[in-house]
Amino acid sequence: MVYLTMAMVSMAKPSFLRAEQPLAHDLTSSSSSSSNSRRRDLVFIVNPRGANGRTGREWKKLLPYLRFRLGTDCNISESLTEGPSHAIDITREAIREGADAVVAVGGDGTLHEVVNGFFWGGKPVSKHDSKVPRTTSLGLIPLGTGSDFARTFGWSNDPVDAIERLVKGSRSRIDVGVITKEGGDLHYFINVADIHLSAKAGYHASKYKRFGNLCYVIGALQAFFGHQNHDLKIRVNDGEWELYPKVTALCIGNAQFFGGGMRITPNAHPSNGNFEVVTLQDFKWYDFILKLHRLYNGTHLSVNNVLSRSAFSIEVEEVVGSNSIFVQSDGEHLGFLPRKFSILPSVISMIC
């Protein structure tokens, strides 16, 4: 089997953008003589329809190797999602039952739902047995169309590398963003939230995922038709309201990449306690063609009409209400402005 063969060769270590926190116990460690040593409970949440079914096919190939590497010392539970928001429910139940880790298997959409499952009613989900001191960690095996969140850590889509991270068991605390709307439910995101043209492009791209990463190009082209830049009111860190004229797109990054590899918020990182907020103003369709390479390599911050700032909260409203300014987070359509975006620092333990 291909995964078993790969295990026999030396594997390159993934690169990281920051120093790790002190290591947790190795998930496969069996050398401990402690009487408290026990098998760890890992729940893998898989979207079998992700990436046009490729996620499900790859998962079936991967599962024997995963059991080979982790099955001796861990209880492995697989849960296949059956539709939208199912991963949220599975995650909440796994945490309440005391799982050591919930691992998202798929793309940014699956990860997004799993992260939302860590919360309920505005608070982190807690275990039924409050006497158990364990914290449920978040894990990721990126097998989706975009897998943009993984890029910030330098992770590839190689599932063997992902499993080795689980074997190593290193954990770090990461930040999560929360989006609020007056009278609406809270919504959480781990990667990038965005407003206006980019959000509209993401909305259209979601309809063409059968074309792989090409869906982002198709979505962007469709979003350009009839697009108009809009004046927005923005309040950063609960300060004074500011007018931003002719906004083309506004991106709020907890991590760096979106849209299939576009490094839109190049200074963001989910461990620094702040968002990077990047605003594009008065862009024309030809600006994107001429400057697309800068958006992908993260050098666009020096371009005219591009503003970057750090923030722990940001509120965004239209100057003239049209109820037509798209909002999305982690590639998921959330509706329209107004919205407030706030950081929750170090709220989740992630296996990295």
Side-chain angles (χ1 to χ4, degrees), residues 155-319:
W155 298 341
S156 70
N157 270 10
D158 186 342
V160 169
D161 286 348
I163 289 175
E164 292 309 307
R165 287 194 295 273
L166 298 177
V167 170
K168 184 180 177 183
S170 172
R171 291 171 169 83
S172 290
R173 306 296 301 189
I174 62 167
D175 311 328
V176 170
V178 58
I179 304 172
T180 56
K181 178 184 179 181
E182 187 174 352
D185 294 332
L186 302 181
H187 200 92
Y188 300 87
F189 69 100
I190 193 172
N191 192 43
V192 177
D194 53 310
I195 294 167
H196 206 16
L197 180 64
S198 55
K200 193 190 320 182
Y203 172 76
H204 291 303
S206 66
K207 298 180 286 188
Y208 302 102
K209 287 192 174 181
R210 62 186 180 278
F211 297 113
N213 279 342
L214 186 61
C215 72
Y216 301 110
V217 177
I218 299 172
L221 292 173
Q222 193 167 348
F224 271 118
F225 287 111
H227 171 77
Q228 292 182 340
N229 297 324
H230 275 259
D231 298 343
L232 299 180
K233 292 191 304 179
I234 296 174
R235 182 160 69 172
V236 174
N237 298 342
D238 299 320
E240 298 296 324
W241 285 98
E242 304 173 51
L243 174 64
Y244 279 58
K246 298 182 179 180
V247 173
T248 306
L250 189 151
C251 302
I252 301 155
N254 187 49
Q256 298 178 11
F257 296 86
F258 79 160
M262 190 178 295
R263 197 177 182 189
I264 190 65
T265 47
N267 298 314
H269 198 281
S271 67
N272 63 13
N274 279 293
F275 299 126
E276 182 181 22
V277 181
V278 171
T279 309
L280 280 61
Q281 293 174 267
D282 199 23
F283 267 52
K284 309 297 191 297
W285 64 269
Y286 51 81
D287 288 315
F288 283 96
I289 294 175
L290 295 174
K291 298 163 185 174
L292 188 63
H293 66 288
R294 286 181 171 271
L295 292 168
Y296 272 93
N297 63 28
T299 61
H300 56 288
L301 300 187
S302 61
V303 171
N304 289 337
N305 298 336
V306 176
L307 174 66
S308 172
R309 64 193 301 175
S310 179
F312 59 79
S313 74
I314 178 169
E315 296 174 71
V316 186
E317 297 182 359
E318 297 177 73
V319 173

Side-chain angles (χ1 to χ4, degrees), residues 336-348:
F336 307 93
L337 289 180
R339 289 290 194 278
K340 180 175 182 178
F341 307 80
S342 305
I343 200 85
L344 301 176
S346 302
V347 72
I348 287 181

Side-chain angles (χ1 to χ4, degrees), residues 99-121:
D100 291 276
V102 175
V103 182
V105 181
D108 294 309
T110 301
L111 177 62
H112 177 79
E113 287 200 4
V114 169
V115 167
N116 273 268
F118 271 74
F119 303 91
W120 173 257

Side-chain angles (χ1 to χ4, degrees), residues 29-42:
S29 175
S30 58
S31 60
S32 174
S33 59
S34 171
S35 60
N36 294 325
S37 179
R38 62 177 183 83
R39 293 174 63 88
R40 301 176 185 273
D41 297 317
L42 308 183

